[in-house]
Amino acid sequence: MTLNKTKQTSTLMVIIAFATVYLVWGSTYFFIRMAIQGIPPLFMGAMRFFTAGIIMLTWCIIKGEKIFIRKSLITSAIVGLLLLGGGNGVVIWVEQTLPSAMVAILVSAAPIWFVLLDRQNWGINFRSRSTVIGLIVGFIGVLLLFGEQLDGMFGSSNSGVKIFSMVLLIFGSISWSAGSIYSKHHPSEGSAAVNVAWQMIIAGIVFLPGSLLNHEFSGLNLSNVPVQSWLALVYLILFGSIAAFSAYVWLLQVRPATQVSTYAYVNPVIAVVLGVLFAREHISLMQISGLVVILVSVLLINLSKYRKDKGTKDIVVKPESGPSKERIHQPHSEATTNELCIAANVK
């Protein structure tokens, strides 16, 4: 069982939190592209995650939380490398060649890899007809996106580069999923904020050798970086890595996880709209079809979880002393996508 304290939450606060998660995480793809137009990609990733991690860790220290737990640091290092180094690092890298909207569409297929990699839950997941159908539908959506590039490979000089970037992005999504599953089966002590802070700090440090090997400091003059790139970086630090994550964790405490998980359907749509309207990215009918198919597959993969959560009843227990109440949720045995990523969703 999972114990969650019942909180008196206003409807307005819930709406603001949902809007933050929906809009901010959906917009990070657009702002990553804006940031790397003036800042080398891996160096940008290093600055973003290291700075955000330091800010979060400082806040945790002010709150009096324990920040040095040896076992948790090791777990945070592994999860940070897989999630932010491999997963988010690839997103940053491929946005040099792929439109931010295309990146968001492919990343939205991450639940496919969750199911395939979560071996301990194969017996549960593959007994669900909707999950199996969802996997098949999801692969069809991914193939639609690749098919368009393969179709134009001989008519465009950079189609080969785009296909390679798309393959790389799939491996990045697999790395993200693997890191999330590892964090699920190797739970850390301490608060989620402390663990994520260390993940970001470690990932930020790891980005630096990659930046050096990529010769990103050769001829780099920070004074020549456009103002819009600096503003995009600040947005990614304060809103993408801190505000949206905080809103997400808070929502998980006051709303059902399946309700919070709706961000997975909204984020890629927000990314596509921003890419088309502000970055003048061209989205073809095939790409839109791929997005729709992938989102349908995500819905099918989570359908059994939604049904179970809908049937779950909250039991309110009034303690013998004190005015507070505790609400006990009795969740199903298989973890939802959000439960896998409770400390990992730093876009």
Side-chain angles (χ1 to χ4, degrees), residues 74-236:
I74 295 173
T75 300
S76 293
I78 295 172
V79 174
L81 290 174
L82 289 171
L83 286 172
L84 305 179
N88 210 280
V90 167
V91 168
I92 295 171
W93 181 261
V94 301
E95 284 209 30
Q96 296 176 99
T97 55
L98 290 179
S100 60
M102 170 72 82
V103 174
I105 292 172
L106 277 173
V107 168
S108 68
I112 296 174
W113 315 118
F114 275 111
V115 174
L116 294 178
L117 293 177
D118 194 10
R119 187 173 180 179
Q120 293 189 26
N121 278 324
W122 278 0
I124 298 172
N125 291 328
F126 288 107
R127 280 203 302 267
S128 169
R129 183 179 300 177
S130 63
T131 298
V132 174
I133 295 174
L135 289 174
I136 296 172
V137 172
F139 278 116
I140 292 174
V142 172
L143 289 175
L144 282 174
L145 299 176
F146 273 89
E148 182 182 48
Q149 295 301 322
L150 289 171
D151 184 55
M153 189 170 181
F154 298 102
S156 176
S157 58
N158 65 342
S159 288
V161 176
K162 287 185 177 180
I163 291 174
F164 174 76
S165 296
M166 291 169 72
V167 172
L168 192 62
L169 190 57
I170 286 178
F171 280 104
S173 294
I174 292 173
S175 177
W176 180 279
S177 302
S180 299
I181 291 171
Y182 181 88
S183 69
K184 169 196 169 187
H185 296 304
H186 299 80
S188 299
E189 299 176 22
S191 70
V194 170
N195 294 326
V196 171
W198 280 117
Q199 290 171 23
M200 289 194 288
I201 290 172
I202 292 167
I205 293 172
V206 170
F207 269 103
L208 286 176
S211 182
L212 288 169
L213 292 173
N214 196 39
H215 307 290
E216 291 185 347
F217 294 101
S218 300
L220 175 64
N221 187 346
L222 295 180
S223 62
N224 292 332
V225 175
V227 174
Q228 67 175 22
S229 293
W230 286 120
L231 292 176
L233 177 59
V234 171
Y235 178 89
L236 290 170

Side-chain angles (χ1 to χ4, degrees), residues 3 19 44 65 113 132 168 305 308 325:
L3 294 179
M44 189 280 290
E65 296 186 24
W113 315 118
V132 174
L168 192 62
K305 303 177 179 66
K308 289 180 181 178
K325 295 181 180 180

